[in-house]
Amino acid sequence: MAEVKQTVVEGVDALTLNGKSDADTVETATDAQAQETAGDEATTNADDVVDPWNVASSNDAGVDYDKLIKRFGSSKIDDELIARFEKITGKPAHHFLRRGLFFSHRDLHTILTLREQGKPFYLYTGRGPSSGSLHIGHLVPFIMTKWLQETFDVPLIIQLTDDEKTLWKDLKIEEAIKLARENAKDIVAMGFDVNKTFIFNNLEFMGKCPAMYQNIIRIQKCVTFNQVKGIFGFGDSDIIGKIGFPAAQAAPALSSTFPFIFGNKKVHCLIPCAIDQDPYFRMTRDVAPRLGFPKCALLHSSFFPALQGAKTKMSASEQNSAVFLTDTPKQVKNKINKYAFSGGRVTVEEHRKLGGIPDIDVAYQLLKFFLEDDAKLEEVRVAYSKGEMLTGEIKKLAIETVTPIVEQHQAARKLITDEVLDKYFELRPLKYGS
Ligand code: TRP
């Protein structure tokens, strides 16, 4: 097993990405009693589970990301990297970067060097369409991706893995294709430039583009069953579709998968994604040089917490864990008020005396993602920590911040007709760079 780990995953301990679910043992504390002791001290986080299918921590503050960087063998996004980013782009870094919400990377320096030298690269990200409606956490990688596309003026490829969701969920092919289209409307509603963006769903694209299937086979030829077992935790009784699937998520990281965009040029690729997707791209990075391609670079986000707290991520399959992009203002308000885990104290007296704990407070986390004003956010953090600001007040601010985002999204989505959507799915060259 030891050699397998080394050859496939760049020396990272593949088996720590255990595929087991700890979901049963993770409690989601929502009531005031449970919060009493919350945040007293960090647990060891030895049992954080992070893989493409499960995210669970025993700590109220969520996954220990520094430990995850070590475990995965990625690099921390530090002040020096952010400074270089700002110098090269001539623009302040996005607040997701400044606030450490995107906290880890692979080879981002290489991408910045390419930019300095005026050499091309493209962006690739994706979404597994498992539900008709996205939630606000799903916006995060796409907000970052959009900002990167605007900052660098580069082509963007968005993969919808309807095949993945058919294989993993109780979902028919036809339903998965429908969900992919619905999700694509939400993505397009975020305002991606149609001239620079190509969107595709695997179940339909594969038949239109032999180059993609050919790359999948090239990739599958490089990876053994032992290796995918090590990386993803697959077992002998997993269906063979799952075992082969990682190659389909890897293929878009090779530019030759899209001959109508890149011709036969070997172009570098940068992938913004949540860190749970990293196992796919460790595999991709191992394979790419063997096929004569550069290794993809990565920019990893932390998880968007469930309303019930950062022990798990916001999930579309848990209705009350998520604020959906289809929720009404009233639903947004009720959900945050009722479910958002509070880092506040049990009584007002105690809260005034001891102060709240922003790190475990979901309303504060929502603000960290969506309140763009740095000064205001810092004011809130200080006032809440000192007990000057109460739980009801921080929740109110979170509601006021999130509601317009949801409303604006709904208005933008209404304008996405089938014709508008089809343009993004058309196989065509993209126009970028001036
Ligand atoms: N597997 C991802 C999911 O379930 C979807 C995906 C496909 C993706 N390609 C990607 C995510 C590239 C990030 C980057 O959501």
Side-chain angles (χ1 to χ4, degrees):
M1 218 31 164
E3 329 79 73
V4 170
K5 283 186 250 170
Q6 266 162 17
T7 50
V8 183
V9 290
E10 306 180 308
V12 171
D13 184 0
L15 293 180
T16 55
L17 315 171
N18 71 61
K20 307 193 289 285
S21 167
D22 272 358
D24 292 342
T25 58
V26 176
E27 357 137 29
T28 40
T30 45
D31 57 325
Q33 271 74 26
Q35 293 170 34
E36 227 174 333
T37 51
D40 276 359
E41 69 218 336
T43 51
T44 58
N45 285 57
D47 49 356
D48 283 351
V49 176
V50 176
D51 65 41
W53 306 282
N54 307 287
V55 174
S57 168
S58 56
N59 191 313
D60 285 320
V63 170
D64 183 329
Y65 290 110
D66 284 332
K67 283 203 181 127
L68 201 59
I69 285 175
K70 284 207 189 101
R71 219 166 93 192
F72 278 19
S74 61
S75 309
K76 197 179 165 94
I77 296 182
D78 54 17
D79 293 344
E80 191 198 328
L81 178 56
I82 293 181
R84 184 165 180 235
F85 199 101
E86 293 186 331
K87 191 172 154 241
I88 290 170
T89 61
K91 209 169 144 175
H94 193 275
H95 71 267
F96 286 173
L97 287 166
R98 296 197 313 269
R99 293 179 192 167
L101 298 169
F102 277 75
F103 66 100
S104 154
H105 75 101
R106 294 182 189 272
D107 284 346
L108 197 57
H109 277 294
T110 308
I111 295 292
L112 292 175
T113 303
L114 286 172
R115 170 48 49 125
E116 264 179 333
Q117 297 170 343
K119 293 191 181 145
F121 66 91
Y122 68 100
L123 293 163
Y124 157 44
T125 192
R127 148 115 194 117
S130 57
S131 66
S133 173
L134 303 196
H135 60 61
I136 52 171
H138 290 136
L139 295 176
V140 169
F142 290 102
I143 293 172
M144 189 75 228
T145 301
K146 181 163 181 260
W147 184 83
L148 288 167
Q149 185 186 36
E150 288 166 359
T151 300
F152 290 113
D153 187 17
V154 288
L156 162 63
I157 286 166
I158 300 175
Q159 176 184 52
L160 300 166
T161 48
D162 44 8
D163 50 351
E164 176 190 17
K165 294 302 159 184
T166 307
L167 291 166
W168 261 269
K169 307 247 168 193
D170 179 18
L171 202 61
K172 293 203 175 72
I173 293 230
E174 296 75 13
E175 288 162 351
I177 292 175
K178 267 194 205 133
L179 291 180
R181 254 188 104 74
E182 286 308 304
N183 286 189
K185 284 187 188 161
D186 281 303
I187 293 167
V188 165
M190 296 182 68
F192 288 100
D193 183 342
V194 68
N195 292 316
K196 299 174 187 173
T197 306
F198 174 60
I199 305 182
F200 70 98
N201 58 316
N202 284 350
L203 287 174
E204 295 181 305
F205 179 62
M206 220 86 84
K208 296 179 199 161
C209 181
M212 172 146 184
Y213 187 59
Q214 289 164 21
N215 273 345
I216 288 176
I217 295 297
R218 286 188 182 102
I219 294 163
Q220 288 178 340
K221 218 177 150 172
C222 292
V223 185
T224 67
F225 181 40
N226 265 329
Q227 291 171 326
V228 282
K229 264 205 257 190
I231 301 170
F232 298 97
F234 296 145
D236 287 353
S237 40
D238 273 310
I239 51 171
I240 60 172
K242 288 188 182 181
I243 295 153
F245 170 76
Q249 184 155 331
L254 308 183
S255 55
S256 64
T257 293
F258 309 100
F260 50 93
I261 300 173
F262 301 111
N264 55 13
K265 283 198 221 86
K266 294 185 174 171
V267 184
H268 274 80
C269 168
L270 168 63
I271 307 174
C273 62
I275 188 129
D276 61 341
Q277 299 298 306
D278 188 67
Y280 287 110
F281 301 119
R282 263 176 283 167
M283 186 195 86
T284 312
R285 284 166 57 85
D286 181 69
V287 168
R290 289 153 68 190
L291 297 175
F293 284 85
K295 287 185 177 187
C296 52
L298 290 147
L299 192 53
H300 296 125
S301 76
S302 56
F303 301 110
F304 198 86
L307 289 176
Q308 286 73 9
K311 284 177 175 175
T312 55
K313 62 175 179 172
M314 191 170 270
S315 159
S317 45
E318 294 288 330
Q319 285 295 316
N320 293 331
S321 81
V323 173
F324 289 94
L325 295 174
T326 47
D327 283 348
T328 62
K330 201 168 153 206
Q331 283 173 312
V332 174
K333 184 174 168 197
N334 288 344
K335 276 191 193 168
I336 293 178
N337 277 334
K338 188 161 171 199
Y339 300 113
F341 185 84
S342 169
R345 305 289 168 172
V346 181
T347 64
V348 173
E349 292 70 46
E350 228 178 278
H351 188 86
R352 295 278 188 223
K353 199 165 99 206
L354 301 170
I357 306 159
D359 279 354
I360 63 167
D361 189 281
V362 170
Y364 179 74
Q365 300 306 317
L366 292 175
L367 294 172
K368 214 168 154 184
F369 277 94
F370 293 119
L371 181 69
E372 285 181 26
D373 184 337
D374 287 338
K376 180 98 188 269
L377 183 73
E378 180 57 10
E379 220 174 81
V380 169
R381 195 188 61 76
V382 171
Y384 194 63
S385 306
K386 284 187 181 161
E388 289 162 8
M389 188 176 203
L390 297 174
T391 293
E393 293 165 332
I394 198 167
K395 285 194 174 187
K396 183 163 177 282
L397 184 60
I399 292 161
E400 285 165 6
T401 307
V402 169
T403 307
I405 293 172
V406 172
E407 285 180 312
Q408 277 158 27
H409 183 85
Q410 290 170 5
R413 195 188 195 276
K414 272 205 194 112
L415 306 176
I416 312 303
T417 59
D418 281 317
E419 285 117 287
V420 171
L421 193 64
D422 287 343
K423 295 217 174 87
Y424 288 83
F425 280 75
E426 236 168 65
L427 279 58
R428 76 217 119 99
L430 300 177
K431 296 181 208 122
Y432 52 93
S434 29

